[in-house]
Amino acid sequence: IFDMSNTTSKVHDQLVAFGVNPHSIHRNLTVEKLVEQSIETNEGMLTSTGSLSVKTGKYTGRSPQDRYIIYDDETHETIDWGDVNKQFPTEKFNSIFEKMKKHAEGKDLYVFDGFVGADKENRLAIRVINDHAWQNLFCRQLFVRPSNEELDSHEPDFTILCLNDFETIPEIDGTRTNVFILINLSKRIVLIGGTNYAGEMKKSMFAVMNYLMPKKDVFPMHCSANIGKNGDTALFFGLSGTGKTSLSADPERMLIGDDEHGWSQSGVFNFEGGCYAKCINLNEEAEPQIWNAIKSGAVLENVVVNKDTLKPDFDDGSLTENTRAAYPLDYIPGAVIPSVGGHPKVIIFLTADALGVLPPVSKLTKESAMFHFMSGYTSKLAGTERGIKEPKATFSACFGSPFMPRPASVYAKMLGEKILEHNTVVYLINTGWSGGAYGVGKRISIKYSRAMVTAALTGKFDLIKFRHDDTFNLDVPTECPEVPSDVLDPKNTWVDKDSYDLSAKKLAQMFGENFTKFKDVSPEIRNAGPQIQ
């Protein structure tokens, strides 16, 4: 703890220069101290697993409609402005910033100094300032932690000021609600307030990296990554809830990271130092690595805990379906530390098809890989965002448009170049519904999804015949080890075959309608998608 009367403190001087003058700074506290202070202030409670259980209150997911990027000379021509990347005026940002600094004056604040990016050549030094201990613990577990030497010389390139207890007044401050996430790429500051959902800090820095990395010829990706025993790297693209974390946490492979990565000239590197896993319906048999990572130091968000036994009930979604566990990467046995890997041999696109018509697995050509990367089809799952109560079909370019500030074509071009350069094989795996749409069919068993992933990564599909799905213009394997053959053909799982045909045609048309927004696309890529006569 740095005493604020000590004006020689380097950190104190930096914060005063930044405009924040609190009563005291708790900088890079240990896990034990952060947990202790969270309990003392009634922000959290210890569970039977030793993890810290917290509630995020009214907001249990991201607030994408309340996220803005500051419009200025730096950003006016480089951002893909629209419903995702909404403009916010500089003068309003400055006004809110000044109010937040006054709000923080005289208070105890928690500071985490560390990095985003495991690759020392491409990482970003960050400072996170919080008004709650557990939120700072979240940052300590999710971002890259510095060594003692790095901490002594730490100079932040980007700062997050996240004050949960500060809210804006929309009529005065220009925000949509009292919640705000304001990203200022020129001043290199992120302001967050009005929400306790810790994922806003993680995702705001992901957006920052996705903006900065292309300048350094690094392809930023919303994906998980792991390495096989023979050193082969694999990537898993997909939006929240599609299985990135679960399917990349493979006991037979070493985890690089579960969500955010860069692909440089040297290979793949993790942006983060931890994992933020969904844990609704979590069980030890299906996901042992995640299950065992929920221990002392882990943070459980909105998981219902039995008051008598203090045991987490992962099957209880009464607070939200978006229950989460945050823990450092080294809680996963065999995780790669530092979290870097070589150039990927296999890429897997994950989608959760709520209509229940996409094949569970298909192999993509380079052109169809580009088509599906630009399309980014999936279903937003319940709880991940405010207002989502049941799966909703959506198209999210690059499998992560909420976090991609630049036009999708920038990232698509980089992916195409990487696939060609490294002869990478791409598969599309549907982890959504089978036997009918949501409400009728059932979610494809994670056991089957794991078997399909294993077959893709080990080259077993190279020895298997494929059939062509004319509706979706996809090559589908006729068999897969440990998966019933009927499951591989989604039509076989439907009782009403005519309903399947209608739903499949509907989705194919949705693909086509969505792709019309991409104007400068080659005919080869455009024709690699579904072709409706």
Side-chain angles (χ1 to χ4, degrees), residues 137-275:
L137 174 60
F138 175 93
C139 293
R140 186 195 184 284
Q141 305 297 49
L142 262 294
F143 294 125
V144 178
R145 294 162 291 283
S147 65
N148 290 334
E149 294 76 15
E150 290 170 335
L151 186 58
D152 288 341
S153 60
H154 191 274
E155 295 281 352
D157 298 316
F158 230 98
T159 300
I160 301 175
L161 179 59
C162 179
L163 304 180
N164 304 144
D165 297 337
F166 178 84
E167 298 180 354
T168 52
I169 302 173
E171 297 79 8
I172 297 174
D173 298 310
T175 54
R176 188 183 71 97
T177 67
N178 61 326
V179 175
F180 60 93
I181 303 95
L182 306 178
I183 301 175
N184 194 319
L185 292 164
S186 299
K187 292 188 174 181
R188 301 207 159 198
I189 298 171
V190 176
L191 304 181
I192 301 174
T195 174
N196 290 334
Y197 185 66
E200 299 288 13
M201 294 181 288
K202 161 190 159 71
K203 289 302 186 184
S204 65
M205 287 314 304
F206 184 34
V208 167
M209 291 292 279
N210 291 341
Y211 178 80
L212 296 176
M213 288 297 100
K215 292 182 179 180
K216 303 185 70 173
D217 196 28
V218 174
F219 173 39
M221 306 172 292
H222 185 214
C223 70
S224 57
N226 62 25
I227 301 177
K229 295 178 180 178
N230 295 323
D232 57 302
T233 300
L235 302 180
F236 299 75
F237 284 82
L239 288 177
S240 179
T242 57
K244 292 194 317 300
T245 300
S246 299
L247 293 173
S248 58
D250 185 339
E252 299 301 316
R253 298 174 65 84
M254 297 175 290
L255 183 69
I256 299 175
D258 79 327
D259 197 37
E260 306 167 4
H261 292 82
W263 189 348
S264 70
Q265 293 302 312
S266 300
V268 170
F269 66 96
N270 194 354
F271 286 169
E272 302 180 290
C275 302

Side-chain angles (χ1 to χ4, degrees), residues 335-368:
V336 181
I337 307 293
S339 45
V340 298
H343 298 291
K345 301 296 184 184
V346 176
I347 291 176
I348 292 174
F349 293 161
L350 295 168
T351 181
D353 174 31
L355 294 177
V357 293
L358 270 184
V361 58
S362 51
K363 187 175 182 179
L364 305 181
T365 64
K366 180 184 78 71
E367 290 74 22
S368 59

